[in-house]
Amino acid sequence: SEEGGTLFTLDRKTFRNVIASKSLKSKEAATKALREVQILSGLSDEQIGKVAEVVQHVDYHPEDTIISKGAIGHVVYIIEEGTVVCKDMGGDSTDEVVRLTAGEYFGERALMTDGPAPAHVIAVTIVRCMVLARNAVTELLGPLHDVLDLNVGIRVLQGVKVLETLSDDVRKRLMEEFTLESFPKGSAVIT
């Protein structure tokens, strides 16, 4: 049988503009959320922008175990919506210890180390997270520890009067040539 119908169309330019706008809003939201993650606070705006492009979005259902205590993690989770609980953080107790909601994060240690997760993290409600994997950060910027150390060094060089006119790029290249030396208390640094 033939039945009538309605067909909606969207031209290519409008479709691309909608997708680009959504992508830009998603990147802006990821950038803002990443700025709140303490371990990433030493990254530059440019570096955070690059990292924001590789953030994934993952949904969990109530009672889903997001992280199991003792598991080796490689991901930081930033809660976009919903609530999770962290249980069994110290001993044998399974009592709820910490409740986290939108704007908070967990698993950040996984960006720096392969250590075991200190607690179970379980979804209480439907939870949507921005997820950032350590290997994605490493592919973009290099090992996070090295990047953060380099950024601190560059900021130190910015405070040196004789080097203040150098560009950020030159400071970065200069910092890469430095080596770290430690001196015992009371020893002569220059003679």
Side-chain angles (χ1 to χ4, degrees):
S1 79
E2 292 183 25
E3 293 182 26
T6 304
L7 178 64
F8 295 92
T9 62
L10 184 63
D11 65 85
R12 183 183 313 206
K13 183 177 179 185
T14 303
F15 176 76
R16 286 186 176 168
N17 286 342
V18 168
I19 296 300
S21 173
K22 183 167 177 52
S23 178
L24 179 62
K25 287 178 184 173
S26 180
K27 182 180 176 186
E28 288 172 354
T31 299
K32 183 179 178 188
L34 291 169
R35 274 274 159 239
E36 299 300 316
V37 178
Q38 180 67 35
I39 204 166
L40 301 177
S41 65
L43 294 181
S44 69
D45 290 341
E46 179 184 352
Q47 291 165 332
I48 284 286
K50 286 181 181 178
V51 170
E53 292 177 4
V54 297
V55 166
Q56 302 289 321
H57 300 273
V58 181
D59 296 324
Y60 298 95
H61 295 92
E63 304 301 319
D64 281 354
T65 298
I66 301 171
I67 296 178
S68 294
K69 182 176 180 173
I72 304 301
H74 305 284
V75 175
V76 62
Y77 301 82
I78 304 166
I79 303 170
E80 290 183 86
E81 55 189 68
T83 301
V84 302
V85 291
C86 304
K87 294 183 177 183
D88 195 16
M89 292 183 79
D92 298 325
S93 171
T94 56
D95 292 339
E96 180 179 317
V97 176
V98 176
R99 184 177 284 259
L100 302 173
T101 60
E104 296 180 292
Y105 57 90
F106 55 94
E108 69 278 8
R109 280 192 267 175
L111 293 178
M112 297 289 274
T113 180
D114 282 327
H120 297 291
V121 181
I122 301 166
V124 174
T125 64
I126 291 175
V127 176
R128 182 172 180 84
C129 290
M130 285 186 239
V131 177
L132 178 62
R134 179 174 43 177
N135 64 350
V137 174
T138 302
E139 285 177 22
L140 281 173
L141 305 176
L144 185 58
H145 187 274
D146 294 348
V147 173
L148 295 173
D149 285 350
L150 178 64
N151 286 356
V152 167
I154 290 169
R155 282 196 296 276
V156 168
L157 291 181
Q158 287 172 332
V160 177
K161 187 80 170 152
V162 72
L163 303 176
E164 68 185 4
T165 59
L166 297 178
S167 71
D168 287 342
D169 188 48
V170 171
R171 277 193 207 105
K172 179 181 178 193
R173 288 194 319 239
L174 182 61
M175 193 60 215
E176 289 170 346
E177 297 300 319
F178 278 96
T179 57
L180 184 64
E181 272 190 59
S182 298
F183 297 89
K185 183 178 179 181
S187 66
V189 176
I190 299 176
T191 43

